[in-house]
């Protein structure tokens, strides 16, 4: 079965750009991440000039209503938290082939895992005890597990 990510990747290889593909009201700029359950694209909603990260649930998961419901619950949960470290989700829907998507604020930078690992590595040895470092590493793995099912950019 062809996934949306494979379709977009073939188009990218054939055309050299994704600039004319759309997910809802968003024009895809490029793929920025991929995980076991979905693919994330940088996109632009041109009518209001906003950049977005658009997360698309893989077709094999979109067919399961329970998984798709959890996917949309992610949007509600993220918006309820209202924390500067949590992105805002501002749109959702289904593409014509049935896959669910979330459009959220676009944040520059690498993967969450890489950013957290870089922060831990940047600490001077005296700043963090062995116990503290283990805590930071555990925190990094925990945060990655929260986000990894949908995207692993990097």
């Amino acid at each position: 079965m062809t996934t949306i990510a494979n379709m977009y990747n073939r188009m990218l290889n054939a055309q050299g750009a994704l600039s004319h593909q759309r997910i809802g009201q968003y024009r895809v700029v490029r793929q920025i991440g991929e995980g076991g359950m979905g693919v994330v694209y940088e996109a632009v909603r041109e009518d209001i000039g906003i950049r977005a990260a658009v997360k698309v649930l893989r077709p094999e998961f979109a067919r399961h209503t329970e998984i798709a419901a959890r996917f949309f619950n992610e949007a509600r949960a993220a918006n309820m938290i209202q924390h500067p470290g949590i992105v805002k989700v501002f749109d959702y829907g289904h593409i014509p082939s049935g896959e669910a998507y979330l459009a959220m604020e676009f944040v520059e930078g690498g993967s969450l895992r890489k950013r957290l690992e870089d922060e831990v590595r940047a600490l001077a040895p005296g700043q963090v005890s062995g116990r503290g470092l283990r805590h930071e590493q555990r925190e990094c793995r925990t945060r990655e597990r929260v986000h990894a099912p949908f995207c692993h950019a990097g």
Side-chain angles (χ1 to χ4, degrees):
M1 177 181 292
T2 301
T3 66
I4 194 82
N6 291 338
M7 179 183 77
Y8 282 139
N9 286 333
R10 278 198 301 278
M11 294 169 104
L12 176 61
N13 292 334
Q15 300 174 354
L18 294 175
S19 60
H20 298 293
Q21 299 303 314
R22 301 194 81 76
I23 298 173
Q25 297 184 51
Y26 301 87
R27 179 180 54 81
V28 174
V29 175
R30 65 188 173 106
Q31 181 178 324
I32 56 175
E34 183 172 5
M37 293 187 72
V39 180
V40 180
Y41 300 94
E42 176 184 354
V44 177
R45 183 168 169 177
E46 296 170 315
D47 60 342
I48 59 174
I50 191 167
R51 285 173 73 192
V54 179
K55 185 184 294 188
V56 180
L57 190 61
R58 291 190 187 282
E60 57 267 29
F61 296 110
R63 284 192 297 267
H64 300 283
T65 55
E66 182 180 309
I67 294 173
R70 278 190 286 183
F71 185 71
F72 289 126
N73 283 339
E74 176 188 346
R76 282 188 283 281
N79 285 339
M80 289 174 63
I81 294 171
Q82 296 187 11
H83 183 277
I86 305 293
V87 297
K88 297 283 184 235
V89 178
F90 42 77
D91 200 2
Y92 69 95
H94 290 87
I95 59 176
S97 56
E99 292 85 1
Y101 73 87
L102 300 176
M104 59 198 81
E105 71 181 292
F106 182 85
V107 179
E108 290 285 348
S111 72
L112 178 60
R113 178 183 204 158
K114 180 167 179 359
R115 292 179 84 179
L116 291 170
E117 287 174 347
D118 289 348
E119 284 182 29
V120 169
R121 234 183 265 108
L123 296 172
Q127 287 182 291
V128 177
S129 67
R131 183 177 177 202
L133 182 57
R134 284 190 301 277
H135 170 76
E136 292 295 327
Q137 290 169 331
R138 187 171 49 251
E139 181 74 15
C140 178
R141 286 190 302 273
T142 300
R143 289 183 188 185
E144 183 190 35
R145 273 192 292 262
V146 168
H147 297 277
F150 297 103
C151 175
H152 179 41

